[in-house]
Amino acid sequence: MNDITGLTLIETLKALEEKKFSSEELNKAYLERIEKINPRLNIFLEIKKNPQNMPAAIKDIICTQNIRTTAGSKILSNFVPPYSATVIDRLKEKGIGIIGKTNLDEFAMGSSGENSAYGPTKNPWNETKVPGGSSSGSAAAVAADLCTFALGTDTGGSIRQPASLCGVVGLKPSYGRVPRYGAIAMASSLDQIGPITKSVADARLVLEWISGPDGKDSNCVDPASCKVTPCAARGCLAGVRVGVPREYFGKGLDKGVEKVIREAIKKLEELGAEIVEVSLPHTEYAVAAYYIIMSSEVSSNMAKFDGIRFGSGREDFGPEVKRRIMLGTFALSTGYYDDYFAKAAEVRTLIKQDFEKAFEKCEVIVGPVSPTVAWNLGEKIEDPLTMYLSDVYTIPASLAGIPGLSVPCGFSDGLPVGLQILGKYLDEETILNIGEIYEQSTDWHNKKPDLGKEA
Amino acid sequence: MNQYEPVIGLEVHVELNTKSKMFSGSSADYFSKEPNSCTDPTNLGLPGSLPYINEQAIEDCMKIGLALNCQIADVSRFERKNYFYPDLPKGYQISQYRWPLCKNGWLEVEDKDGNVTKIRINRVHQEEDTGKLTHTDGQTLIDFNRSSVPLVEIVSEPDFHDSSQVRDYAKKLQQIFRYLGVSNADMERGDMRLEANVSVRKIGETELPNYRIELKNINSFRFMVAAIEYEIKRQIEALEKGEKLTQETRGWNENKKETFLQRSKEEAHDYRYFPDPDLPEIRMEESRVKSLESGMPELPEAKVKRFISDYGISKANAQILVDSKELANYFEKTVEDGKDIGVSPTDIANYIINRKVNIDEVKPKQVVEEIANRKVGVVEDEGEIEKVVDEVLMENEKSVDDYKNGKTNAIQSLIGGVMRKTGGKVNIETVRRVLQEKLES
C-alpha cells in the first residue's frame, strides 16, 4: 500500500483495526517518505530511529522525555528534558508514538518559520515560500504527509496561520482547555497546544485526547466542559448564524484571499447558514495590545535561560527573541507599567467584550486566517512590523481566549487559503461541527501538494 | 542625642512546614537532606514547567493573617517579581504585590517598660523561597532543595520606636507561628527571618524620614536588637555631623559588633512586577474564611489573659507558661490533676517555672504529688493524721463504699479531703498508707 501516508488519522486507526496494514508497515511508510522529503523541506529537527505506534509529529517546543527538545533555539541545542509534557503522556496512553520533533520559529516567536536557529522550513506547496509559523514544521509535516497528525502551539496564531498557509486543518483550543505543562512557555496567558490534522474529524479526536485538567496547569478548566461530541447532523447548516466581522475584510487583505474567503462564506450560506454581519470594533488595537502583553510575558519567561542549569548562555538567543525581551522589559518597567501593560490589559478586556457582543448575534464568526497566502522566504524577515501584521486576524481570538479553527477553503496564486472559524469560549464543538460540514461538502481537503516523483 | 526618635518597620519571612512545595509536588521538608534531592521540574525552573498552587500553604497564610487581625482579601493574585540571581531558577520569584492575601492587621507589643503599643500590619502575603548558594574555594554551589518552599511575608508599618518593641514583636510572631502549627519558626535554621527598616527623625516630627536603612540577613533576635541599637546610634551621629543619609542595605558583623554596607540605592532593582499569567486569581469565599476562623486555636495573648483570670496566677508567670503551646497544655493538665488534692494553680505555676520541669519526662501527676509532699513536716504526728483521716472517712461514705466495692481510685478523693483539711501540710504517702489501713481493716 503506497498511499498509507495519505490517510487521515481516523482512516489510519480504522485500517489498523481492520489489519489492512501493521503498525510496523505504517511507521516504515512514513519513515521512508520522511527520508525522501525532509531534506528538501527541513521539517524535522529530530527523527525517531525506530518509531512505533501511531506516528505523530510534535512541535519541538513540547517537552519529550529523553528526546532532545530545542524550541528552535540554539540555546537549547543540547537540552534533553527529563520529563514529558502532559499532552505527550496522554497521547502515549492512546497508543500514539512520536515520529519526530518539528521545526519552528525560535521559542515560537515568528510567523514564517524563518526565526528557527536550525534553518527555515519550506512550504510543501512551493519550496520558495514560507510555511507560516511558528508551528511551521508541524503544519508542513501534515501537508506533506510525513505524519498522521501533529501537535502545534498557538499564542497569536501559530497553529492556525501555518495550517492555513500549508492547506491543512489547525485548531487552537480555548485557553485553558488543554494543559500547557511541558510546552515551553512563550506568553503564558496566551499559549495553547492544539492539533494540526488532515481532517476536521481528526482534530476533534486529538482534542478530546489531550483536553482536561492535569493538576499541573492551574489555568486548565473543569473536565466536565471538555467533551466534544461528534458532528450529529451532517451536510446541513440550517439554523446556524455565521457572523462575518467587517473589520476582517479591510485594508491589507489580499484580493485573491478575499475572493476565496467570500466564496467559502457563500458556500456556508448554500449549506443553510444565515450570514450576519458583525462588528469587532477594537480589532485595530489588537496587534498593539498583543505585542505588549506577549512581550512582557516573554521578557519574564525567558529569564530562566541563564545557562546555569541547562542550555547555553543567553548570547545564543536569536534577534527576534532579544527584540521581544527588550520590548517586554521596557513595558513592565517602573513608570511605564500603567501606560503599557495595564493599558494593553484593558484593551484585551475590550476585545473579549467585542466577541461576547458579536456572539449574541451568531454561533460562529468566520473570516480569513491570514491576509495573504504564503510569501517568499526572506521577504519579510527584515521588516518585523509587517511580519507582526500578518497575525492581525488570529491575534484577537488569542487575546479573548476563544477557540479558532483553520479549514482549507481554496487557493489563491496556487497556494492554499484557510477559512478561520471562531467560536464562543469552550465551544469547540460548534466550530468543529461547522468546519466539518464545510469540509465534507467541498473538495479542498483532498488536495495535496505535488512533491515530485521522489515522493 | 535624645532629641531623636527611631522609626522602625519590620519585614518578617517565615517558611511554612507544609508537606510539599508552594507550587509543585516535591517535599518541602528539605532540612539536612542531600543537596538537590527535593526538586522537580517546576522548582528547578526547567523549560515547560508550571506552578500549581499549594492550598495548604494558602490556608496557613490566612491563619497567620487571621491571628494578626488582618482582613482576608476577597480577591488576591500572585505576581512575578523579576530579578536575576543564580539561586532563583525561574528568573523571577512568585510573590504578591498589589493583591496580598491578607491586609490591615495589627499586633500589640510591649516595650521594656511594659508600655503596650499597637503595631499596624500592612500585609501578610504568600510567596516562595529561593535556592541556597554555598561559596567554597572560588566555586559556587547551588542547592535547590529550598527552592519554592512556601514562604509567608509579614510587613509591618513603621510603628516601632524602640528595639525592645521589635524584640517583643518578633517573639510574639514566633509564638503565633508555633501555636498555629504552620512553622517551626526557628531563626537559626532560617525558618524565620527578620529585616528591619531603620531611620531616625527629630522628636515631634510626624513625616517619615526620606531615607531608610534596611538591616538584612540577621539570624537571631539578639543580633537584630543589637544591630538596630547600633544603627540608631550611627544614624544620629551622622545626622548630628550634618551628613546626609540615603537608602542602603546593611548587615551585622557580630565580631566587630557593627553594621556594614551591603548594597546602596544605586544598585536597587526594578522588579517589574506583573500578575503571574500562569496562576488564576484566588477568590476567597466567605465560608472558607469562616471555617478557618472557627478552627483557630487559642492564641498566646488570649491564653495569658485566661490563665490570669481563671487560675489567678501572675501575668509574668502566665507569660512564661504560655511561651509554648506544649508548656501551656502541661500546666493546665497539672492544674486539673492538682484539683483533687488541693494543690493550687499558683503553687503549680511556681513549681513548673522555678524547677524548670522537663515536661517531656515528668508527668503532671508527679508534679502535683511532689508539691504536696514538699509541704511535709508540719503535721508529722500520725495520731493527728489518723484523726483527720477518720473525719474524712466519716464525711465521705460514698467514696468509702466505692473503694470497698473495688473502685480503688476513690482513694484519690479521700486523700484530697485530707489534704484540704490539713492545708496540704501532710505527707501524701503517709495519708495514703493510713487510709488504706483503715479502709482495708
Side-chain angles (χ1 to χ4, degrees), chain A residues 36 40 450-455:
Chain A
K36 281 181 210 150
R40 280 161 51 192
D450 178 13
L451 286 160
K453 54 182 185 305
E454 311 133 69

Side-chain angles (χ1 to χ4, degrees), chain A residues 86-144:
Chain A
T86 300
V87 291
I88 299 298
D89 288 338
R90 286 186 178 168
L91 288 182
K92 202 173 159 194
E93 277 168 34
K94 296 288 174 186
I96 310 302
I98 298 166
I99 196 159
K101 301 291 297 284
T102 58
N103 202 356
L104 68 157
D105 286 294
E106 183 176 7
F107 289 108
M109 299 181 203
S111 311
S112 69
E114 294 162 295
N115 293 331
S116 170
Y118 304 93
T121 295
K122 289 161 190 167
N123 192 315
W125 291 87
N126 180 335
E127 290 168 42
T128 66
K129 305 284 181 184
V130 299
S134 66
S135 306
S136 325
S138 285
V142 174

Side-chain angles (χ1 to χ4, degrees), chain A residues 223 286 351 420:
Chain A
I351 285 168
Q420 182 168 225

